[in-house]
């Protein structure tokens, strides 16, 4: 079985080939047009996908050494994501599969992130708990078996990655700011400001990150010269300390809530998924919790954390293998929910 995966839900155009249970190639083209706007501009993203989708698919096939007439199926991200971006991937995938006489099926982007944990061994055993933390979503999901999910809790407002990006903007760090905050925080003092940890002790497994973001905004308002200290090293110090303090608050909440969900579900395997799962402090704290708590932790490789088509091809392969009935004519759905 040779599955071509295509991902275009946001600002990454990506294609991958997954053959006989093994990843053969994964090409990711990150659009840089959005940096100067401090966020993804949907119209620019879809135009860039249009330009990139054919060369990226060609490159993925060439890197895998698989001809298009050898493909068994095409898996494409059908949602959630930006409508214009999704439409490019879905329409290309449908037409490409049709021209080859092979099936095309839609993959949920969030399921793709979760099943990225199956790209490497050892993969999670069912049932497992997955903390999905991306730019658009924050969810704690109980995965009972292939494609059977129960959402135990999700964010009531901002997603974790969104909070990283918005705080980064306040600190003048460019876009996306998650990786920059991660880097700066490594030299910062996490106890510099005690930012709130919303809902950390609630019985509810939901999240809220907008309060942490607002607390950073208020701190900057109350300390207007902190980032413009004439001594550049002093300003850099404050920036790193704020990054570390903010990151500590977000990671505290994510880890504590995951442990609460673990206690409630009594599963043995925990996985993390999505762009924020690349965060080094989150990975360190989850590893620490795993060593102390006796659960098996699954962390995707760094390039499988952020958006990529390897996870879509792998999920498509699992879908085909499971014999699940798949819609042969997937439609782009910006609000697509994960399967129950
Ligand atoms: O999963 P992803 O690539 O796209 C979505 O599906 O949203 O996640 C992107 C998010 C962005 O908000 C980005 O800032 C964040 O993941 N991110 C990180 C790190 N790397 C990416 N956040 C914190 N630390 C990181 N190292
Ligand atoms: Zn994503």
């Amino acid at each position: 079985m040779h599955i071509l995966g295509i991902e275009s839900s946001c600002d990454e155009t990506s294609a991958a080939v997954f053959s006989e249970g093994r990843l053969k190639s994964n090409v990711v083209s990150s659009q840089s047009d959005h940096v100067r706007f401090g966020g993804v501009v949907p119209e620019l993203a879809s135009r860039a996908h249009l330009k990139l989708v054919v060369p990226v698919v060609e490159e993925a096939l060439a890197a895998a050494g698989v001809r298009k007439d050898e493909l068994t199926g095409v898996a494409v991200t059908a949602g959630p994501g930006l409508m214009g971006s999704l439409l490019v991937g879905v329409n290309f995938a449908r037409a490409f599969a049709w021209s080859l006489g092979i099936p095309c099926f839609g993959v949920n982007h969030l399921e793709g992130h979760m099943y990225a944990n199956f790209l490497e061994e050892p993969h999670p055993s069912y049932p497992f708990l997955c903390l999905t933390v991306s730019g658009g979503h924050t969810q704690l999901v109980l995965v009972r078996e292939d494609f059977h999910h129960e959402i135990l809790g999700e964010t009531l407002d901002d997603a974790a990655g969104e909070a990283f990006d918005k705080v980064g903007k306040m600190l003048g760090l460019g876009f996306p700011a998650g990786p920059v905050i991660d880097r700066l925080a490594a030299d910062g003092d996490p106890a510099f400001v005690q930012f709130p940890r919303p809902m950390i002790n609630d019985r509810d497994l939901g999240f809220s990150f907008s309060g942490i973001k607002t607390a950073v905004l208020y701190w900057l308002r109350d300390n207007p010269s902190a980032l413009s200290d004439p001594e550049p090293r002093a300003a850099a110090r404050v920036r790193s300390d704020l990054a570390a303090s903010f990151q500590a608050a977000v990671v505290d909440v994510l880890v504590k809530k995951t442990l609460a969900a673990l206690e409630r579900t009594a599963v043995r395997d925990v996985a993390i998924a999505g762009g924020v799962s690349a965060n080094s402090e989150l990975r360190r704290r989850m590893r620490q919790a795993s060593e102390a708590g006796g659960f098996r932790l699954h962390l995707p490789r760094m390039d499988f954390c952020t958006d990529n088509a390897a996870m879509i091809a792998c999920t498509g392969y699992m879908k085909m293998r499971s014999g699940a009935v798949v819609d042969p004519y997937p439609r782009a759905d910006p609000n697509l929910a994960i399967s129950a």
Side-chain angles (χ1 to χ4, degrees), residues 109 113 134-136 161-162 164-165 176-179 182 274-276 278-279 305-307:
H109 182 79
H113 275 306
S134 72
E162 189 181 356
F164 268 93
D165 293 337
D182 191 347
V276 182
N279 183 266
C305 291
T306 44
D307 289 350

Side-chain angles (χ1 to χ4, degrees), residues 47-324:
R47 282 168 195 247
H49 286 306
L50 270 178
K51 260 198 261 171
L52 292 165
V53 68
V54 173
V56 164
V57 165
E58 279 174 348
E59 196 182 330
L61 287 169
V66 171
R67 291 190 318 272
K68 57 185 177 182
D69 60 19
E70 291 177 307
L71 289 172
T72 322
V74 181
V76 62
T77 302
L82 299 169
M83 187 50 154
S85 292
L86 291 167
L87 276 171
V88 177
V90 168
N91 287 328
F92 173 84
R94 280 180 58 162
F96 191 59
W98 179 81
S99 74
L100 297 168
I102 56 174
C104 172
F105 39 96
V107 168
N108 182 302
H109 182 79
L110 297 173
E111 293 178 12
H113 275 306
M114 292 194 280
Y115 294 114
N117 281 287
F118 286 78
L119 281 161
E120 292 164 288
E121 297 293 341
H123 58 68
S125 300
Y126 293 110
F128 69 92
L129 191 65
C130 187
L131 172 71
T132 309
V133 269
S134 72
H137 294 81
T138 300
Q139 297 181 331
L140 265 168
V141 182
L142 177 63
V143 187
R144 295 188 192 282
E145 51 185 284
D146 282 0
F147 307 105
H148 288 281
H149 312 113
E150 183 187 340
I151 298 178
L152 303 177
E154 53 191 334
T155 183
L156 305 178
D157 41 57
D158 290 349
E162 189 181 356
F164 268 93
D165 293 337
K166 288 179 175 169
V167 165
K169 204 167 189 177
M170 294 176 207
L171 299 178
L173 302 179
F175 177 84
V180 189
I181 291 186
D182 191 347
R183 213 165 46 240
L184 290 179
D187 302 319
D189 175 8
F192 179 61
V193 186
Q194 185 69 15
F195 288 123
R197 271 80 168 148
M199 298 176 72
I200 196 165
N201 292 317
D202 287 14
R203 268 199 58 74
D204 189 293
L205 292 173
F207 301 89
S208 168
F209 295 106
S210 74
I212 310 182
K213 175 193 72 186
T214 310
V216 177
L217 185 73
Y218 286 171
W219 191 93
L220 290 170
R221 184 196 60 189
D222 298 341
N223 299 273
S225 53
L227 294 180
S228 50
D229 194 298
E231 165 56 57
R233 267 195 313 208
R237 171 92 263 141
V238 172
R239 201 173 267 115
S240 295
D241 289 346
L242 285 174
S245 302
F246 161 76
Q247 180 177 271
V250 174
V251 170
D252 263 357
V253 175
L254 292 174
V255 173
K256 183 112 193 247
K257 289 279 181 172
T258 305
L259 295 182
L262 184 66
E263 211 166 274
R264 220 170 289 180
T265 52
V267 299
R268 308 262 338 254
D269 286 50
V270 177
I272 316 189
V276 182
S277 64
N279 183 266
S280 45
E281 180 63 7
L282 177 61
R283 294 170 82 92
R284 188 186 69 80
R285 291 278 306 278
M286 286 301 296
R287 274 197 200 101
Q288 210 175 47
S290 161
E291 279 156 22
F295 61 88
R296 282 187 295 259
L297 178 67
H298 303 270
L299 298 169
R301 210 170 80 186
M302 296 302 253
D303 50 334
F304 298 151
C305 291
T306 44
D307 289 350
N308 65 86
M311 67 186 196
I312 303 302
C314 172
T315 307
Y317 172 81
M318 289 170 68
K319 233 177 185 174
M320 261 195 135
R321 194 190 53 184
S322 74

